[in-house]
Amino acid sequence: MEPKGTIAAGHQLTAEAGSEMLRNGGNAFDAAIAALAMACVCEPVLASPGGGGFAMIRSGQSGATTLLDFFPQTPQQQRGDVADGFQGITADFGSATQVFHIGPATVASPGFFAGLTALHETGATLPFADLFAPAIRAAKSGHRITAYQHYLSTVVHPILTATKAATDLFAPSGDLPGVGSIFRNPGLAEMFEEWARGDWLHSGIADQILQEQKRGGHLGRADLEGYEVVAREPLRIALDSASVFLNPPPAACGALIRYALTHLERCDMPAMATALQQADEARRLARGDLAKLLDRPMRQTGTTHISTIDAQGNACSVTVSNGTGNGEIVTGYGFMLNNILGEEDVNPHGSAEWPANTRLASMMCPTLIETKDERLIALGSGGSSRIRSAIFQVVVRLCLGQSGLAEAVRAPRIHIENGHLDVEATEAGIELGQLENLFPDHRIWAEKNMFFGGVHAVSADGSGRFTSIGDERREGCAVIVE
């Protein structure tokens, strides 16, 4: 039997939802949509209908590659005194804490609904009712909390329990569900059922989003109805025998990765560290085109990624985020809106200091690679500012280091930011001494860690054979559908 496709994602259920579509005759776009819906169910700290993201897509028929930007956009106008809709909380990462802002005033226009609609119109073959069916089943019957998802929920515990509605959903007994416990979200199932029946903009979903925003938020109906997915020409770089397609401006990560790739002298870890350092210096100096890119508000918190390819040569690499969530549940529908306007890197001066009607920048970078020997690779990562270094290193190892997909993803990683080096010292022969000499300010990690991102990647060769891997750093899972 000929393989039908493959998918890699950040949760077993997410990958299985996509693989079910491939198994039932759907293509890569169908698989990505089903997986995105499931991610909202089983990865709720990272994915939500209230957020947005980016999808790098390739048409198997035409061979064309396009970036779909469905990231949140700032509201069209500020609405009155919103001090009551903006409050601070402290997230506890164990070794560090970070202040986030939540509430109705932190919400930017979500792009998730429009993004999935655009992805569906681009080339999906199955109706939304079929694509959402796995997510609806899991939301109703429940799913078991994994160790990684439990950890994420404890980090943002103050957000998941910020309001009574949020507490009732995420901590109904008073405590967050433990590892292995069953979590149900019938409201989210209702949302996907209602969306599948028709236009979400003229449904109770949109009405309840706007109702939530009346209590100190900025969004109005014009924001929801005026939101548009933007199709962009990807950044393209020739790397040895491959073409690498990266997320273009206003997103920042693609430009930084391209900068690092063009400053790479060799394919070893000290050389990669040096190239990343040069890119980080360019980020900090923010000169030329990079300055124009980086002077936009930038958002870079919790993300999750899905990669999928089918036997017809369609591919979708998609990364989404909800910020950390705004702490309030859209009544009856089981999801939080984003808190993008509450991120200090977007909005450092408080609840009212953001440019109106502006598409926000991001560190997310869904990526596609085409090689001269007819390999097609889709990959991407979550991981905040570490996305750029994770993708850079995997791309280098695949295109210049002759590594296989699994080897490239599993290899030890480094990250350089503001002159500081973080390195996974998990294998022999990683030139640790050279790295320490290059970067006196460093931290050594004895084990692989989610800090370094989670690159979920899939590939197809010219003979129709698939390989795929979900990054163990973030409980990744991969499925090949025969």
Side-chain angles (χ1 to χ4, degrees), residues 127-146:
F128 273 136
D130 291 350
L131 299 176
F132 294 159
I136 291 168
R137 290 197 303 268
K140 288 181 176 180
S141 63
H143 63 90
R144 293 194 180 277
I145 301 294
T146 68

Side-chain angles (χ1 to χ4, degrees), residues 249-252 255-256 258-259 279-298 361:
L256 293 170
R258 184 174 68 173
Y259 189 97
D280 192 55
E281 288 177 354
R283 174 189 66 83
R284 288 186 287 131
L285 293 172
R287 297 288 188 257
D289 289 341
L290 198 57
K292 295 177 182 177
L293 167 62
L294 294 178
D295 65 7
R296 286 174 174 262
M298 190 181 305

Side-chain angles (χ1 to χ4, degrees), residues 103-382:
T106 66
V107 179
S109 301
F112 189 90
F113 293 97
L116 265 64
T117 299
L119 193 56
H120 193 265
E121 293 171 349
T122 295
T125 61
L126 301 175
F128 273 136
D130 291 350
L131 299 176
F132 294 159
I136 291 168
R137 290 197 303 268
K140 288 181 176 180
S141 63
H143 63 90
R144 293 194 180 277
I145 301 294
T146 68
Y148 178 54
Q149 292 301 319
H150 176 69
Y151 167 72
L152 291 177
S153 68
T154 61
V155 170
V156 296
H157 179 278
I159 297 176
L160 299 183
T161 57
T163 61
K164 183 179 185 304
T167 301
D168 288 346
L169 176 60
F170 291 108
S173 68
D175 295 319
L176 294 172
V179 176
S181 60
I182 301 297
F183 176 71
R184 296 179 176 84
N185 191 342
L188 193 56
E190 170 61 28
M191 190 282 298
F192 280 118
E193 288 177 334
E194 191 164 330
W195 185 358
R197 288 194 294 267
D199 181 6
W200 76 273
L201 276 171
H202 299 92
S203 72
I205 303 168
D207 291 342
Q208 286 302 319
I209 289 174
L210 296 174
Q211 184 65 35
E212 186 264 352
Q213 282 289 282
K214 286 182 178 179
R215 301 186 295 272
H218 298 288
L219 295 185
R221 187 163 290 276
D223 293 292
L224 300 184
E225 295 182 350
Y227 183 92
E228 294 183 353
V229 175
V230 182
R232 305 189 191 277
E233 184 74 19
L235 291 178
R236 178 174 177 171
I237 183 170
L239 200 64
D240 197 12
S241 61
S243 293
V244 182
F245 299 88
L246 302 166
N247 196 357
C253 199
L256 293 170
I257 293 171
R258 184 174 68 173
Y259 189 97
L261 289 171
T262 58
H263 287 75
L264 182 68
E265 296 184 354
R266 304 180 310 279
C267 188
D268 56 43
M269 290 189 75
M272 286 192 280
T274 299
L276 286 170
Q277 167 71 352
Q278 290 174 312
D280 192 55
E281 288 177 354
R283 174 189 66 83
R284 288 186 287 131
L285 293 172
R287 297 288 188 257
D289 289 341
L290 198 57
K292 295 177 182 177
L293 167 62
L294 294 178
D295 65 7
R296 286 174 174 262
M298 190 181 305
R299 161 49 208 91
Q300 52 188 35
T301 306
T303 49
T304 193
H305 181 82
I306 296 161
S307 296
T308 182
I309 295 174
D310 64 32
Q312 289 73 48
N314 300 301
C316 182
S317 174
V318 56
T319 314
V320 294
S321 174
N322 197 42
T324 50
N326 80 331
E328 301 199 0
I329 304 298
V330 177
T331 302
Y333 294 110
F335 70 92
M336 281 188 187
L337 293 171
N338 66 80
N339 68 326
I340 302 299
L341 300 182
E343 301 289 346
E344 290 187 358
D345 50 0
V346 171
N347 183 17
H349 304 295
S351 60
E353 299 297 326
W354 40 263
N357 203 29
T358 299
R359 186 61 53 91
L360 296 170
S362 170
M363 278 294 178
M364 294 193 282
C365 193
T367 300
L368 292 180
I369 303 172
E370 295 180 1
T371 69
K372 289 182 180 178
D373 61 359
E374 298 187 335
R375 277 192 305 159
L376 175 62
I377 303 168
L379 61 93
S381 178

Side-chain angles (χ1 to χ4, degrees), residues 5-72:
T6 184
I7 184 168
H11 194 288
Q12 181 177 348
L13 292 179
T14 304
E16 288 177 352
S19 67
E20 181 178 328
M21 298 306 111
L22 293 171
R23 197 170 290 110
N24 292 341
N27 59 25
F29 306 122
D30 295 303
I33 292 169
L36 287 166
M38 182 64 83
C40 295
V41 176
C42 61
E43 304 176 60
V45 175
L46 304 176
S48 167
F54 302 88
M56 189 74 76
I57 60 173
R58 179 189 187 274
S59 166
Q61 184 174 10
S62 69
T65 298
T66 306
L67 188 284
L68 298 181
D69 177 346
F70 58 100
F71 200 60

